[in-house]
């Protein structure tokens, strides 16, 4: 199996997963929202979408391992491939009917993230990226290129913050952006900020503590679009 085979599979799967989430949200009353922590929620759609993704991967790539936000790690990879999935990134936005949420699917081989797909159904956008010998990122079929402005004086930075982390540190980060002449935006879904970077709409995405499943697909897409990533 090549990276391209896996990417094509992941793109179709992310679209299917996005459709399932959208359908479940439209069937009002069926989301069964549970709190995992302060301002941290899981819905029936998160669980159903993760189950769908795991089922499809198990059928197509039974020897690959999977790490998912809701179910943790399953399987010991015999192929060196590990899928990293967030069924719904931006669950709070999703369950409230806001458009900033997405399905995120990435695959790492021998410890390196090599491909990613982010499907944002409410924006009708699907981004794919791969880091083969000739890296390439696309959004709805069109080649992507990150902004060349870097962190110049007029930088626009997408930011993320989670209630898991210290707010004072976040406030300091925002102050640093503003005092250096920049501006910021926060959508409440890391994947949406990463779409902004990959599309060249914003110059960077910054979040002090991000889970692997929130970032993995975006990392592959941004690198494939010519951007850099710092841990
Ligand atoms: C959330 C993110 C949010 C970020 C949080 C969290 P969830 O993911 O996308 O932007 O700040 O760290 O992980 O819980 O909605 O999938």
């Amino acid at each position: 199996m090549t990276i391209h085979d896996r990417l094509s599979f992941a793109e179709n799967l992310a679209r299917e997963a996005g459709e399932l989430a959208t359908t479940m949200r439209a069937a009002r009353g069926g989301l069964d929202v549970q709190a995992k922590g302060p301002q941290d929620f899981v819905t029936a759609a998160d669980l159903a979408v993760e189950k769908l993704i795991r089922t499809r991967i198990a059928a197509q790539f039974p020897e690959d391992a999977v790490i998912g936000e809701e179910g943790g790690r399953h399987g010991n990879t015999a192929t060196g491939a590990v899928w990293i999935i967030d069924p719904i990134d931006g669950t709070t936005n999703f369950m409230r009917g806001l458009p900033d949420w997405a399905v995120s699917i990435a695959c790492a081989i021998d410890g390196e993230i090599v491909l990613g797909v982010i499907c944002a159904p409410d924006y009708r956008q699907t981004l794919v990226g791969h880091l083969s010998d000739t890296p390439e990122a696309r959004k709805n079929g069109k080649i992507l290129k990150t902004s060349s402005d870097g962190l110049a004086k007029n930088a626009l930075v997408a930011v993320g913050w989670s209630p898991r982390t210290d707010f004072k540190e976040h406030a300091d980060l925002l102050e640093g952006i503003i005092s250096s002449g920049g501006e910021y935006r926060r959508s409440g879904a890391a994947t949406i900020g990463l779409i902004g970077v990959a599309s060249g709409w914003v110059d960077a995405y910054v979040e002090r503590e991000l889970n692997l499943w929130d970032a993995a697909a975006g990392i592959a897409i941004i690198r494939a679009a010519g951007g850099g990533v710092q841990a």
Side-chain angles (χ1 to χ4, degrees), residues 3-197:
I3 289 179
H4 297 280
D5 293 329
R6 281 195 162 82
L7 183 61
S8 159
F9 163 82
E11 180 176 1
N12 290 333
L13 181 51
R15 289 183 200 276
E16 184 185 5
E19 277 168 26
L20 174 59
T22 302
T23 303
M24 287 186 73
R25 184 176 58 178
R28 297 228 168 244
L31 281 180
D32 187 22
V33 176
Q34 307 282 337
K36 296 192 280 186
Q39 290 291 331
D40 186 13
F41 303 99
V42 60
T43 72
D46 295 74
L47 300 175
V49 171
E50 182 155 327
K51 188 174 174 194
L52 169 77
I53 296 173
R54 285 180 184 274
T55 303
R56 295 278 188 268
I57 292 173
Q60 189 76 16
F61 302 104
E63 296 187 315
D64 291 0
V66 180
I67 298 172
E69 177 177 14
E70 311 304 340
R73 180 171 179 138
H74 284 199
N76 287 313
T77 175
T79 55
V82 180
W83 293 89
I84 304 150
I85 59 176
D86 190 344
I88 297 177
D89 178 51
T91 298
T92 300
N93 291 338
F94 168 78
M95 70 194 206
R96 288 174 175 270
L98 291 163
D100 286 4
W101 62 279
V103 177
S104 180
I105 301 178
C107 187
I109 296 183
D110 297 332
E112 293 289 326
I113 298 168
V114 293
L115 67 86
V117 179
I118 298 175
C119 175
D122 287 357
Y123 290 111
R124 299 185 193 289
Q125 294 194 355
T126 301
L127 288 80
V128 300
H130 64 82
L131 296 162
S132 65
D133 291 344
T134 49
E136 186 181 84
R138 290 180 182 266
K139 175 163 63 178
N140 293 353
K142 285 195 180 153
I143 292 278
L144 288 173
K145 181 86 190 80
T146 52
S147 152
S148 54
D149 293 336
L151 288 181
K153 187 164 171 40
N154 295 321
L156 183 62
V157 181
V159 298
W161 176 74
S162 142
R164 298 186 302 270
T165 61
D166 183 55
F167 184 73
K168 175 73 172 56
E169 282 187 7
H170 182 65
D172 290 346
L173 173 78
L174 300 184
E175 193 185 354
I177 294 170
I178 297 295
S179 63
S180 63
E183 240 283 40
Y184 67 87
R185 299 285 185 269
R186 176 173 177 236
S187 77
T191 45
I192 299 299
L194 297 172
I195 286 177
V197 177

